[in-house]
Amino acid sequence: MRIVFHEICSALCIIGIVLSLIWIMMAKGSKAWYELYENAICSIEREKTIDIPESYKMGNIYGERPIDNNIFTNNAGCYSPSKLNIIIGRLFLIIWNTIYIIHLVFEIIWIKNSKINGECPCFHLVICLLIFIIVLIIYITSFINAWAKSSFLEKQ
């Protein structure tokens, strides 16, 4: 019965891995679109015909503003929300992969001990291999960007 627990946990890890990869893709895509719009606004502002005062241009919005990088205060800090979102996705991806590997190791140990005890762990071996293959397919398809490719950004 304990092997079924590890198989269920491994299957749940697949969901966590997929959601983490989607989170990273979403954050990276959001950052790409933000940078695209920022570049477009800056190039429009550089046009002489519009005649925008220098103090209002996007690249010149610095001025006096208190920056407080202390994470224990509520004041504004010098952080990139886009980069933090990517870090969150990567952190959860590492956590889900670690949990998956731990359960995979326990499954392999159980299967090995079953063979020594004369039991036939064939069904659980197939489940274990199937889950591993699914994880590989998820990674391969996400690395080649087969899930949610932006046709517009791809042309850039």
Side-chain angles (χ1 to χ4, degrees):
M1 185 64 185
R2 285 176 32 190
I3 187 69
V4 175
F5 169 76
H6 292 295
E7 290 167 351
I8 291 170
C9 289
S10 295
L12 288 174
C13 287
I14 290 174
I15 295 169
I17 289 169
V18 167
L19 292 175
S20 298
L21 289 169
I22 290 171
W23 186 288
I24 294 168
M25 290 176 200
M26 183 259 329
K28 290 177 73 69
S30 175
K31 183 172 176 48
W33 280 102
Y34 174 83
E35 290 174 359
L36 185 76
Y37 289 132
E38 185 179 42
N39 289 337
I41 291 169
C42 287
S43 65
I44 290 169
E45 289 177 340
R46 282 190 291 272
E47 291 182 16
K48 298 291 182 199
T49 56
I50 297 177
D51 199 29
I52 298 173
E54 285 297 317
S55 60
Y56 293 129
K57 289 186 178 179
M58 190 174 211
N60 298 329
I61 308 175
Y62 290 108
E64 290 291 320
R65 58 178 185 226
I67 297 294
D68 181 5
N69 289 332
N70 183 345
I71 61 170
F72 297 108
T73 65
N74 292 332
N75 301 329
C78 187
Y79 301 104
S80 167
S82 300
K83 289 178 183 175
L84 290 172
N85 263 324
I86 294 168
I87 290 169
I88 290 169
R90 288 179 181 159
L91 177 66
F92 277 107
L93 186 62
I94 290 168
I95 290 169
W96 282 114
N97 277 307
T98 303
I99 294 170
Y100 170 69
I101 290 168
I102 290 168
H103 283 287
L104 182 65
V105 167
F106 279 113
E107 287 180 61
I108 291 170
I109 290 170
W110 184 87
I111 289 169
K112 184 178 177 184
N113 288 340
S114 295
K115 286 182 180 178
I116 292 171
N117 295 336
E119 300 172 24
C120 182
C122 297
F123 175 75
H124 297 292
L125 181 61
V126 169
I127 296 293
C128 184
L129 287 173
L130 184 64
I131 291 172
F132 183 74
I133 290 169
I134 290 170
V135 169
L136 282 178
I137 290 170
I138 287 169
Y139 272 108
I140 291 168
T141 56
S142 69
F143 288 148
I144 62 172
N145 196 6
W147 295 4
K149 193 180 298 186
S150 170
S151 57
F152 182 80
L153 288 175
E154 190 176 49
K155 294 175 192 173
Q156 302 300 315

